[in-house]
Amino acid sequence: MIRYITAGESHGPALTAIVEGLPAGVPVTQNDIDTQLLRRQQGYGRGGRMKIESDKAEVLSGIRFGKTIGSPVTLLIRNRDWQNWTATMAQFEKPAEEVARITVPRPGHADLAGRIKYGFDDIRPVIERSSARETAARVAAGSLSRVFLRTLGIEIGSYVSAIGSSCETACSPAVEELLAKGAESLSMEADQSPVRMLDKSAETGAMAAIDEVSRQGDTLGGIVELFITGVPMGFGSYVQYDRRLDAALIGALLSIQAIKGAEIGHAFDNARKPGSQVHDEFILSSADGLSRRSNRAGGLEGSMSNGQTMHLRAAMKPISSLVSPLHSFDLETLQPTLSRFERSDTCAVPAAGVVAEAVVAPVIANALLEKLGGDHLEEIKSRLEAWRLHVASAFQA
Ligand code: EPS
């Protein structure tokens, strides 16, 4: 099973990830990792930091001659900005010059609870580790599971359906066509847009809205649509709560900084409708086997994959670092004051889609490994092929 852990502060020397449990024999290129890191850095509405960084992963272990070797993979992404923070973020010696302590929490951020929980006299350490900069390490880590899945015909993709109130009015027919080619085709199309939207009028509206809130010193959130194609029936299980695949997927999405809600399929819409308008009816044909009239369940029934495209949705709140201050107070004087500005983005929803793709990749890879086992890619490939044939044979007379 794949496990990973990340380390690193936003303005420390580097971010690191150790990924354990990847099978041996998965072909990985430097480009497979760095392409995802570059995608994460894009998007209309990003702040000054992305102009400083040019994220690249150094592979310190676990890959030999372009293939995983089954041992833990260590990834290191250096923070270029570190050179500007050596005094503030010094590991050992406190610098001679005064380092300003931060004592005014930003509403909506980890500042307040983090400062009290860890007993700091300065909010800086909370800002450093709660920062979404950490997602660079998770994108690098996730890129390995993503390659593993791609070699098995399982692809992950996303697009942005809403930024602020600018949203797609209906699900674009282009989505179905792109998904038919695999979910990565959908992502490649979305990547052509500065806001990763497929609908041009929504894109124009979103960019204008980002400009407008930026002028006002404000921020915008939005909604990411995530798709996974090629997952066969029967991953995950209903038999125990911690084997439920839907819960693991939603948990992964909610672990992303600023993501406050997630759903599978049309969960919230479905809740307002009778069952006859919700459940995806079966069509059995001798030519095509099993298909469905719809996919409102988002590819999961009974917490298991049902063979349809998986569709998840995540809601990102507006980033809580605002140029225009909100009401706050000073934790030292306990006097009301306005919140301080910490450099940030106006909108990071396009990047959140890339991060969402990365965090669900190990979840799907683990569901696959739980179902099929295996330590080497070729072994897993043949087991998956056999499972796909077994499932298809169930619907043939
Ligand atoms: C981010 C890096 C950060 C922020 C942003 C995301 O860099 P800095 O703090 O140096 O500007 O731009 O982080 C936040 C929005 C946050 O609340 O911490 C990145 O690499 O994605």
Side-chain angles (χ1 to χ4, degrees):
M1 300 297 271
I2 297 165
R3 300 177 291 160
Y4 69 98
I5 189 166
T6 72
E9 277 75 43
S10 179
H11 305 103
L15 298 160
T16 319
I18 297 181
V19 188
E20 207 267 330
L22 279 162
V26 179
V28 183
T29 64
Q30 181 76 51
N31 205 34
D32 285 327
I33 310 170
D34 291 345
T35 303
Q36 299 306 323
L37 289 173
L38 180 64
R39 291 180 68 222
R40 193 202 73 92
Q41 286 201 263
Q42 308 307 305
Y44 197 72
R46 299 305 299 272
R49 180 71 183 273
M50 290 304 103
K51 295 191 181 75
I52 300 172
E53 302 298 341
S54 170
D55 293 336
K56 302 242 177 315
E58 292 167 41
V59 178
L60 306 185
S61 70
I63 298 179
R64 183 166 186 254
F65 305 146
K67 285 188 175 171
T68 55
I69 54 173
S71 51
V73 179
T74 309
L75 301 160
L76 182 99
I77 304 159
R78 292 186 196 279
N79 287 320
R80 284 195 176 179
D81 206 15
W82 156 243
Q83 61 189 24
N84 304 315
W85 290 76
T86 49
T88 307
M89 293 301 294
Q91 288 95 340
F92 298 110
E93 294 300 316
K94 208 168 179 188
E97 72 269 28
E98 189 63 28
V99 175
R101 282 190 303 121
I102 299 170
T103 55
V104 179
R106 291 164 292 173
H109 218 284
D111 295 359
L112 176 62
R115 144 80 168 72
I116 301 288
K117 178 178 169 73
Y118 290 100
F120 300 129
D121 64 352
D122 181 1
I123 295 170
R124 172 54 57 197
V126 182
I127 297 174
E128 289 296 322
R129 185 59 190 163
S130 62
S131 167
R133 175 89 191 123
E134 184 264 347
T135 60
R138 282 203 272 171
V139 165
S143 72
L144 304 174
S145 292
R146 186 189 187 105
V147 181
F148 168 50
L149 293 172
R150 189 197 294 140
T151 60
L152 298 168
I154 298 172
E155 294 187 15
I156 305 172
S158 70
Y159 73 95
V160 171
S161 60
I163 286 183
S165 61
S166 181
C167 53
E168 305 211 352
T169 42
C171 196
S172 155
V175 173
E176 291 305 321
E177 281 164 39
L178 290 162
L179 287 173
K181 291 185 243 165
E184 291 208 5
S185 301
L186 175 74
S187 264
M188 278 157 69
E189 182 67 24
D191 287 352
Q192 304 304 310
S193 159
V195 281
R196 304 197 71 244
M197 285 179 140
L198 299 174
D199 177 325
K200 287 291 154 202
S201 70
E203 174 190 283
T204 311
M207 290 169 75
I210 291 168
D211 288 341
E212 179 59 22
V213 295
S214 172
R215 271 194 294 276
Q216 293 163 359
D218 213 332
T219 57
L220 275 183
I223 298 172
V224 167
E225 310 283 329
L226 183 81
F227 298 87
I228 312 167
T229 50
V231 181
M233 186 180 287
F235 286 8
S237 181
Y238 58 89
V239 302
Q240 198 58 263
Y241 69 92
D242 59 355
R243 292 177 61 194
R244 290 186 175 269
L245 185 51
D246 42 15
L249 288 164
I250 293 287
L253 292 178
L254 266 288
S255 77
I256 302 170
Q257 290 82 339
I259 298 294
K260 294 288 275 186
E263 63 176 330
I264 294 182
H266 301 276
F268 284 85
D269 259 6
N270 289 348
R272 299 186 192 99
K273 292 179 183 165
S276 56
Q277 290 172 35
V278 169
H279 301 297
D280 306 310
E281 291 175 287
F282 300 119
I283 307 169
L284 203 52
S285 95
S286 48
D288 303 323
L290 181 67
S291 62
R292 305 274 192 139
R293 291 181 200 280
S294 53
N295 183 15
R296 301 185 193 104
L300 285 132
E301 287 168 316
S303 299
M304 295 171 290
S305 55
N306 65 8
Q308 289 204 283
T309 293
M310 285 189 183
H311 178 198
L312 294 99
R313 192 174 283 123
M316 185 183 203
K317 68 180 177 181
I319 285 171
S320 45
S321 296
L322 275 64
V323 176
S324 294
L326 297 175
H327 291 283
S328 183
F329 68 102
D330 192 311
L331 278 151
E332 237 146 68
T333 62
L334 297 182
Q335 292 302 307
T337 183
L338 293 174
S339 63
R340 52 179 289 285
F341 175 61
E342 183 75 24
R343 179 182 59 191
S344 187
D345 306 308
T346 305
C347 174
V349 182
V354 178
V355 179
E357 293 173 20
V359 299
V360 299
V363 175
I364 298 294
N366 278 338
L368 182 146
L369 290 169
E370 185 199 37
K371 175 84 187 87
L372 304 170
D375 299 293
H376 187 274
L377 181 66
E378 292 311 316
E379 180 188 14
I380 296 164
K381 245 186 199 167
S382 57
R383 290 182 188 188
L384 178 62
E385 194 48 39
W387 176 246
R388 287 191 196 279
L389 289 171
H390 175 78
V391 172
S393 70
F395 312 117
Q396 274 151 16

